[in-house]
């Protein structure tokens, strides 16, 4: 599976002030509750071996309540590797088991390509914006 | 020379004793000063098997596959004489380099000196090389010296597993030739290929287990073993992939997955059937001009339990067609500026080199050299290619 080229392991380097390059790779995960039964999770940066566990930890408690929706905004995800994809698949499986709807918002071309090649796009639906996801 | 006697004598010897045994038998048949050279796992150097030291190669000569005369014999699978004769006593002997191959798998080269260079001499050299190939194979599976001699750097545990998992990288039979390459040879993570013949069916598979660690190697091993197990019990392609899915979920609880293309080629009719478990689509090259990506909806990676329908695709091959199964490391290898090797360059390389005078296996060797060079000699990702050529009734052109 894919691995970024000549990438520094920036997820654990905290001694140095972050450079522009670092900011691209450290994922920022924000959670916003947009209605009583709907959460919008926004991810920015690389979603890979070094960072996917942060998203997994954030998603886990949101995927437990039957009837809820979790919208995952991936528009700022610059890179997705097989560990990142596993994180999405695991979240989908948890959501399916618990009766939660998980949807993706505006994945980048690169992410969409990986979802399409593997067939994961057939179970994890994508929408252009959070507002376009039906109730 | 009695090759039968050489074979009989070989039963009770080790790999280390093989060079001397071959030399003795060959000398009695007029082929003097023979030496056996083995090619390394990346097909870059030919190392002399002396029988001495931990790698059975102590004190031996070494030649590069590119740019040396022994290397030329290896690349072209030919009998090549050196241009000048060496003086021996009153006469002068001709020195020969002969490729050692088992069918189409190239193991190395044989060196020998003869007094004459007639056609019967050439034939005797070929026969000897052919026998040496069988003798080497009969010792290879339990010889650590062999493994040491054909490695130029230390191997990680995952690569150690993968090289034991995959079949020999070359096959020819039933008007069909198969070749495979896998890199980085010493740090392979989760890529694997498989093929097997049953009657006139050729089973093909290329696998990519997520990750690059030892667990990726274990995941690939579980997948390939489950695949073979189901296949050998008569399972269809879809059933086979479901068996792999079950085995992976049982072991890894959906935290590890494997993408794959599984295919069956009827070598008599040229009919190809295949399924897509979330992998890059196969590429078909026809007449060295026309290429297309075969289409089949992905049924999700094996081990994810997505429950997507498994659709079987079919394709009628034409004689001369080449089928490329590959993993993403080949096309996504990037150079210093971040430019990918790319699918077009990959397909174009196969098309150009293989339509010329190179054999399928030499084409793959050159492809890997090009991919490695593109990536400054060090791949970040695993890369595997399984290339199948179906010629339908033109078997004579296959060997060597």
């Amino acid at each position: 599976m894919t691995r970024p080229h000549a990438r520094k392991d920036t997820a654990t380097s905290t001694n140095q002030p972050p450079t522009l390059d670092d900011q691209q790779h450290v994922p920022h995960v924000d959670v916003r509750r947009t209605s009583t039964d709907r959460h919008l999770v926004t991810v920015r940066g690389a979603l890979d071996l070094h960072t996917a566990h942060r998203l997994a930890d954030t998603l886990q408690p949101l995927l437990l309540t039957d009837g809820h929706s979790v919208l995952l905004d991936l528009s700022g995800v610059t890179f997705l590797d097989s560990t990142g994809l596993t994180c999405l698949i695991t979240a989908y499986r948890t959501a399916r088991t618990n009766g939660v709807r998980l949807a993706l918002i505006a994945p980048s071309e690169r992410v969409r390509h990986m979802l399409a090649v593997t067939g994961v796009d057939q179970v994890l639906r994508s929408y252009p914006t959070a507002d376009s996801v039906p109730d | 020379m009695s090759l039968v006697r050489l074979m009989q004598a070989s039963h009770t010897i080790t790999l280390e004793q093989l060079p001397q045994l071959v030399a003795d038998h060959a000398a009695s048949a007029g082929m003097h000063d023979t030496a056996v050279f083995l090619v390394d796992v990346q097909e870059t150097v030919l190392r002399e098997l002396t029988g001495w030291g931990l790698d059975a190669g102590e004190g031996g000569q070494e030649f590069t596959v590119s740019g040396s005369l022994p290397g030329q014999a290896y690349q072209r699978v030919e009998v090549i004489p050196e241009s000048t004769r060496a003086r021996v006593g009153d006469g002068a002997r001709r020195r020969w380099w002969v490729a050692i191959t088992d069918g189409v798998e190239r193991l190395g080269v044989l060196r020998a000196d003869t007094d004459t260079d007639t056609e019967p001499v050439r034939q005797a050299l070929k026969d000897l090389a052919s026998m040496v190939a069988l003798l080497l194979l009969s010792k290879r599976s339990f010889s650590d010296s062999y493994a040491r001699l054909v490695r130029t750097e230390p191997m990680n545990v995952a690569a150690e597993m993968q090289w034991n998992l995959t079949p020999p990288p070359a096959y020819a039979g039933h008007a069909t030739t198969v070749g495979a390459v896998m890199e980085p040879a010493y740090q392979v993570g989760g890529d694997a290929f498989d093929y097997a013949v049953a009657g006139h069916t050729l089973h093909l598979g290329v696998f990519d287990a997520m990750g690059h660690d030892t667990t990726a190697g274990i995941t690939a091993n579980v997948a390939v073993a489950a695949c073979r197990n189901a296949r050998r019990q008569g399972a269809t392609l879809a059933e086979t992939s479901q068996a792999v899915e079950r085995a992976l979920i049982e072991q890894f609880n959906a935290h590890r997955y494997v993408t794959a293309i599984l295919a069956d080629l009827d070598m008599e009719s040229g009919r190809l059937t295949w399924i897509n478990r979330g992998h890059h689509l196969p590429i078909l090259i026809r007449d060295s001009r026309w290429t297309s990506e075969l289409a089949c909806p992905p049924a999700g990676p094996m081990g994810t339990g997505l429950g997507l329908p498994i659709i079987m695709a079919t394709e009628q091959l034409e004689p001369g067609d080449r089928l490329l199964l590959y993993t993403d490391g080949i096309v996504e290898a990037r150079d210093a500026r971040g430019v990918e090797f790319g699918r077009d360059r990959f397909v174009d390389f196969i098309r150009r080199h293989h339509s010329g005078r190179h054999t399928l296996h030499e084409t793959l060797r050159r492809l890997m050299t090009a991919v490695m060079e593109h990536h400054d000699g060090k791949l970040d990702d695993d890369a595997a290619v399984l290339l199948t050529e179906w010629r339908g009734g033109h078997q004579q052109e296959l060997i060597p």
Side-chain angles (χ1 to χ4, degrees), chain A residues 1-7 49 79 81-87 89-90 92-93 96 110 113-123, chain B residues 208-212 249 254-255 257 259 276 278-280 298-301 304-309 328 332 334-336 338 375 380-381:
Chain A
M1 289 289 162
T2 49
R3 211 190 266 191
H5 177 67
R7 205 178 66 75
L49 179 65
F79 179 78
D81 77 348
S82 56
T83 310
L85 184 63
T86 303
C87 172
I89 291 170
T90 305
Y92 163 73
R93 286 172 58 95
R96 186 178 63 180
R110 189 176 177 129
H113 177 72
M114 190 154 173
L115 296 172
V117 165
T118 52
V120 175
D121 64 347
Q122 294 171 55
V123 292
Chain B
D208 187 349
M210 60 164 287
H212 307 270
I249 288 177
H255 291 294
Y257 66 77
T259 70
N276 173 11
H279 199 84
H280 284 282
T304 55
L306 297 182
L308 295 170
D328 49 14
E332 288 170 9
R334 290 160 187 272
D335 67 12
H375 205 263
D380 278 349
D381 197 3

Side-chain angles (χ1 to χ4, degrees), chain A residues 2-65:
Chain A
T2 49
R3 211 190 266 191
H5 177 67
R7 205 178 66 75
K8 284 182 288 180
D9 183 2
T10 51
T12 53
S13 66
T14 49
N15 299 337
Q16 308 271 323
T19 63
L20 197 67
D21 187 49
D22 286 336
Q23 284 169 357
Q24 278 178 359
H25 294 301
V26 176
H28 297 263
V29 182
D30 299 321
V31 183
R32 202 151 51 88
R33 187 167 198 151
T34 54
S35 68
T36 49
D37 59 357
R38 199 182 261 220
H39 286 91
L40 176 65
V41 179
T42 308
V43 189
R44 284 190 302 276
L47 193 52
D48 63 11
L49 179 65
H50 306 281
T51 62
H53 62 95
R54 297 186 187 196
L55 176 61
D57 292 346
T58 306
L59 284 176
Q60 183 59 29
L62 307 179
L63 299 170
L64 302 176
T65 313

Side-chain angles (χ1 to χ4, degrees), chain B residues 70-84:
Chain B
Q72 246 179 58
Y74 177 87
Q75 288 181 32
R76 298 190 200 156
V77 194
E78 280 178 358
V79 180
I80 296 185
E82 286 194 1
S83 54
T84 55

